[in-house]
Amino acid sequence: MKFFADTADTADIKELAETGLLDGVTTNPSLIAKSGRDFMEVTKEICGLTEGPVSAEVVALDHETMMKEAEVLRKIADNVCIKVPLTIDGLKTCKALTSDGTMVNVTLCFSANQALLAAKAGATFVSPFIGRHDDNGFDGMELIRDIRLIYDNYMFETEILAASVRHATHVLESARIGADVATMPPKVIKALANHVLTDKGIEGFMADWAKTGQSILK
Ligand code: E4P
């Protein structure tokens, strides 16, 4: 399972990239606004921090303008992945861009039928939003399960990018189902390493090691 960081915070991305655990980055207009930085400038910087895909989202709602924006965005770097909303115009843009070899992430997916359309449009990634689905009284994991089933039925190559991931259980369940990627806030990625018994084990080993009076580094 690939891990993407869902952020436009370059310090966090740099820190995660240095662990070797980061496979890409997703941004959206809200995350860009939160960064307080220029969209083009911050996206370029992020593209230099990871070799993996970096999703940069168009903000136009019509196909023609989406294509123009995508043209600007894809010039930023080779690893830019154009993010389009799951609308008919977004799907049309997805089809046009992927036919040209450009990576496309179809975002704001809230139903399996929408995901089916994204795959038919040749999307590189589809982003079902788990947390926002849960927030509205639906079962986000059920959505991932349905998409996995449908994509496997037809051997679609579109990767399922589990998005709007809020906690470790979303990651675990997505991995169980076989989502190809999970994009999550850096704090969720880091929290995956936490376990109370790991902390307790380290504490015990350190205490016993101290009793030996030895040191590995001379
Ligand atoms: C996905 O690409 C989105 O940026 C993201 O996962 C949205 O998550 P949120 O619902 O926590 O804002």
Side-chain angles (χ1 to χ4, degrees):
M1 184 188 221
K2 285 175 270 190
F3 281 4
F4 288 0
D6 197 26
T7 183
D9 184 318
T10 51
D12 281 345
I13 295 167
K14 190 165 184 291
E15 190 189 344
L16 283 169
E18 283 167 358
T19 66
L21 298 170
L22 191 67
D23 301 299
V25 173
T26 51
T27 67
N28 63 40
S30 304
L31 293 170
I32 296 293
K34 192 172 166 200
S35 78
R37 296 188 52 190
D38 176 77
F39 181 26
M40 300 299 286
E41 183 196 286
V42 75
T43 306
K44 193 177 168 94
E45 191 178 330
I46 295 169
C47 288
L49 293 172
T50 175
E51 285 176 9
V54 174
S55 291
E57 191 159 343
V58 298
V59 288
L61 298 177
D62 66 284
H63 169 66
E64 282 73 25
T65 321
M66 280 185 196
M67 288 300 290
K68 285 182 192 154
E69 290 182 352
E71 201 46 50
V72 174
L73 295 177
R74 69 176 166 183
K75 284 193 189 123
I76 296 175
D78 289 344
N79 55 338
V80 163
C81 174
I82 307 298
K83 209 173 180 190
V84 299
L86 212 155
T87 59
I88 293 295
D89 282 69
L91 292 167
K92 191 172 164 186
T93 304
C94 173
K95 185 77 187 167
L97 292 172
T98 50
S99 306
D100 232 18
T102 302
M103 288 188 287
V104 177
N105 175 358
V106 179
T107 191
L108 292 167
C109 172
F110 291 93
S111 80
N113 278 336
Q114 286 182 317
L116 182 54
L117 289 174
K120 284 178 68 66
T124 317
F125 302 102
V126 67
S127 291
F129 277 39
I130 302 171
R132 292 193 198 185
H133 211 58
D134 291 352
D135 292 346
N136 284 278
F138 300 98
D139 182 354
M141 296 325 307
E142 198 58 39
L143 175 62
I144 305 292
R145 209 169 284 120
D146 281 349
I147 299 172
R148 181 73 282 157
L149 177 74
I150 291 166
Y151 280 14
D152 289 349
N153 281 348
Y154 297 97
M155 287 185 285
F156 282 126
E157 286 177 7
T158 298
E159 294 190 35
I160 302 173
L161 198 171
S164 190
V165 165
R166 305 268 167 80
H167 47 70
T169 308
H170 280 157
V171 183
L172 177 63
E173 287 303 314
S174 296
R176 279 191 174 134
I177 294 165
D180 303 281
V181 192
T183 188
M184 45 202 142
K187 67 169 191 241
V188 176
I189 300 183
K190 288 188 208 158
L192 298 178
N194 296 342
H195 199 288
V196 64
L197 293 179
T198 304
D199 296 343
K200 211 173 156 193
I202 290 173
E203 206 181 299
F205 287 158
M206 290 306 99
D208 290 340
W209 179 247
K211 289 179 208 155
T212 71
Q214 300 179 51
S215 109
I216 295 173
L217 301 176
K218 301 295 176 202

